[in-house]
Amino acid sequence: MERAFISHLRERLPTNENVVVGPGDDAAVLKLFDDANIVVTVDALTDGVDFALSEVDASRIGHKALAVNFSDLAAMAARPVAAFVSLVLPKFEGDRIARQLYDGILPLADRFGVAIAGGDTNSWDGPLAIAITALGETTPRGPLTRGGARPGDALLVTGSLGGSILGKHLDFTPRVEEAIFLHQRHALTAGIDISDGLSRDLHHLCHESGCGAMLRLDSIPIADAARTLAANETSSKTAVEHALSDGEDFELLFAAPEAVAETILREQPLDVPISLIGQFTNRNEVIALAADGTQTTLPNTGWEHRI
Ligand SMILES: [Mg+2]
């Protein structure tokens, strides 16, 4: 439902010349002066939908609520500058929950030199809801959008994927420094942070760039957590299926011209590994290429085992 609603809404939203990048990317880019762009993103998380307050310390929820915003700024290769925190607290134990939320928010803001520049706090008879708006600034190279990948570009990803439900989805470090470093030094063509899962977010990149992709299944960096899930659970998902569909990895999925990708892969300039997992194509679909040469169309809804 969300996807259809957003498509419908995007066709109707008013805009103006100061909106350089509007809805449809990881964050919006506003042109305020001739030489500066400001990048804006907002995320809302609700108890019972995005987390379970009864099962998780609220400080981890606070960390996540801010980190998801930073991850969206990272996806635009923007440096976070300020954040605004809106809390709707349950009446019961609201003060304690607020304190714990900030125990997670403040260290992360501090780590990235980000100001908590404002916000709002209310309470009600319902569950906890937290909405954070974050502002960032682009580097001199400008924003990294979802729309710049071209056929022939390499498809790269940071870190490893899958199984984030075992902890990474709450405790991840957004790839801010990594994205800015790479985009400043190299001409990346497109980028997105993996929140919906590799398969869906690759479709987002392809859709906005107007091209397709060939994804090499045996090149996907699989997280240990994905292997743990595949080994333990009763469902029939394999580790690579977890890596394709789990989501909330908050790694950076990006495109670069082949020569640039070769340099990045040779230098491996980050603390976290960078993997080449495929190539953008001029076909209008995402193809999963297995090690034995089998090609399968990857559905937009995420990975479904078909072989
Ligand atoms: Mg995003």
Side-chain angles (χ1 to χ4, degrees), residues 59-112:
S59 67
R60 295 173 82 193
I61 295 162
H63 170 94
K64 178 175 182 174
L66 186 58
V68 293
N69 280 282
F70 287 2
S71 186
D72 275 329
L73 293 179
M76 309 299 289
R79 183 176 296 285
V81 174
F84 300 81
V85 179
S86 291
L87 302 179
V88 185
L89 297 158
K91 287 215 167 101
F92 180 67
E93 296 205 317
D95 284 357
R96 178 187 63 79
I97 293 165
R99 253 183 274 276
Q100 285 185 352
L101 287 169
Y102 274 99
D103 284 345
I105 291 170
L106 298 181
L108 184 64
D110 202 38
R111 175 171 173 181
F112 287 96

Side-chain angles (χ1 to χ4, degrees), residues 224-235:
D224 289 344
R227 296 187 198 283
T228 303
L229 282 184
N232 286 347
E233 71 181 354
T234 49
S235 93

Side-chain angles (χ1 to χ4, degrees), residues 26 72 75 146 192-193 195:
D26 289 275
D72 275 329
R146 295 178 179 180
I192 189 170
D193 65 318
S195 51

Side-chain angles (χ1 to χ4, degrees), residues 150-152 210-213 279-285:
R150 295 292 169 259
C211 55
Q279 194 174 43
F280 288 88
T281 66
N282 56 15
R283 296 167 65 170
N284 190 25
E285 59 184 343

